[in-house]
């Protein structure tokens, strides 16, 4: 901690090296020797542990992973059910449609009941729907399972709200870059992993592997993610202290 600056409110948890508003609050006359020293200064995270943040980023990764893992398999799956390019397109679009429809609903539930419970319910739904996709025996059944899978994956917006809850205005852009990285990693890893597992052991195993990734994420969320309402929120309005009365 920089000598001469007041400690922040809330529990103190050591954070990795990162920019912080604390660096700009050093006392007059105290200067860091160079930019490398500025980057390497260990500061204090006042909101949550890094395992919690990792679990949230992993959640975002899984949302996009389970949306895209079937992409390379779709033509063969639709051909099996007698479908063509139209059916492939519908199968590719329906999960994203589910995410788009579910996102505002899940966001409303998260505001009312808490973000953690929404994460847990959505991940359980993702696990079940991924397994159901593996057992689908008709194109219609597969389409419905993909729609449900997409609805359960619409928690990226809730995860973004969680990150906003536990960061202040200056920290938020830094942590949101990792949020966006999780999105791109999920979209890119899904088709690659899905295609590899399908080639190695088959279509059902691909669906079960996606369910396993969701189950792993559920483990992290259940044990390491408290509700963001339990943290002293930086975005919540803070009541101002009453002005002192002027002496008579």
């Amino acid at each position: 901690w920089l000598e001469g600056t007041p400690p922040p409110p809330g529990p103190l948890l050591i954070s990795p090296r990162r920019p912080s508003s604390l660096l700009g609050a050093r006392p007059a006359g105290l200067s860091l020797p160079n930019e490398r020293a500025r980057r390497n200064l260990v500061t204090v995270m006042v909101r949550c542990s890094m395992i919690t943040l990792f679990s949230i980023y992993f959640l975002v990764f899984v949302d996009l992973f389970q949306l895209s893992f079937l992409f390379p398999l779709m033509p063969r799956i639709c051909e099996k059910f007698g479908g063509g390019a139209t059916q492939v397109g519908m199968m590719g679009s329906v999960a994203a449609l589910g995410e788009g429809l579910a996102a505002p609903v899940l966001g409303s539930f998260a505001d009312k009941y808490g973000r953690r419970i929404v994460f847990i319910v959505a991940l359980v739904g993702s696990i079940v729907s991924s397994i159901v996709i593996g057992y689908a025996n008709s194109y219609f059944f597969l389409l419905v399972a993909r729609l449900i899978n997409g609805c359960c994956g619409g928690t990226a917006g809730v995860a973004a709200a969680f990150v906003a809850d536990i960061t202040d205005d200056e920290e938020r852009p830094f942590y949101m870059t990792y949020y966006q990285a999780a999105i791109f990693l999920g979209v890119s890893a899904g088709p690659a992993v899905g295609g590899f597992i399908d080639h190695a052991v088959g279509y059902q195993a691909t669906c079960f592997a996606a369910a396993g990734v969701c189950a792993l994420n559920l483990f992290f969320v259940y044990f390491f993610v408290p509700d963001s309402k339990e943290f002293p929120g930086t975005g919540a309005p803070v009541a101002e202290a009453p002005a002192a009365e002027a002496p008579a």
Side-chain angles (χ1 to χ4, degrees):
W1 189 257
L2 297 180
E3 184 179 354
T5 59
L12 301 184
L13 298 173
I14 297 302
S15 166
R17 298 162 184 170
R18 61 174 180 81
S20 169
S21 58
L22 302 175
L23 295 179
R26 60 183 183 270
L30 176 62
S31 60
L32 298 176
N34 51 45
E35 185 61 27
R36 178 176 296 178
R38 181 181 177 88
R39 289 197 304 267
N40 290 344
L41 184 63
V42 177
T43 58
V44 177
M45 177 73 176
V46 300
R47 301 295 166 192
C48 73
S49 66
M50 293 309 293
I51 189 65
T52 298
L53 275 173
F54 169 80
S55 301
I56 295 300
Y57 294 143
F58 191 28
L59 176 76
V60 177
F61 170 86
V62 168
D63 279 353
L64 278 300
F65 178 90
Q66 54 108 25
L67 173 72
S68 62
F69 79 99
L70 279 185
F71 284 172
L73 287 65
M74 286 180 184
R76 184 161 56 83
I77 295 171
C78 292
E79 185 179 357
K80 171 186 172 183
F81 295 121
T86 301
Q87 285 70 30
V88 172
M90 289 178 61
M91 188 176 169
S93 300
V94 71
L97 174 65
E99 287 205 8
L101 293 175
V105 178
L106 293 175
S108 177
F109 284 171
D111 290 339
K112 186 174 182 180
Y113 301 109
R115 313 210 192 282
R116 182 176 183 269
I117 187 63
V118 169
F119 292 150
I120 291 173
V121 172
L123 283 168
V124 171
S126 294
I127 294 169
V128 173
S129 59
S130 294
I131 294 173
V132 169
I133 289 171
Y135 286 110
N137 55 11
S138 71
Y139 178 76
F140 177 77
F141 189 34
L142 180 65
L143 212 60
V144 172
R146 279 285 287 173
L147 178 64
I148 296 172
N149 191 248
C151 290
C152 294
T155 53
V158 182
F162 188 100
V163 175
D165 287 343
I166 61 175
T167 55
D168 63 30
D169 291 341
E170 293 189 30
E171 292 171 333
R172 196 163 298 128
F174 175 78
Y175 288 107
M176 289 303 293
T177 59
Y178 289 95
Y179 171 88
Q180 289 205 326
I183 291 177
F184 295 130
L185 286 174
V187 172
S188 59
V193 173
F196 175 80
I197 297 177
D198 177 66
H199 177 74
V201 287
Y203 161 70
Q204 274 194 341
T206 306
C207 298
F208 298 158
V213 172
C214 294
L216 179 62
N217 193 192
L218 178 62
F219 170 83
F220 278 101
V221 169
Y222 187 84
F223 288 104
F224 300 113
V225 177
D227 201 286
S228 57
K229 293 179 181 179
E230 297 179 15
F231 296 103
T234 56
V238 178
E240 295 183 0
E245 295 184 2

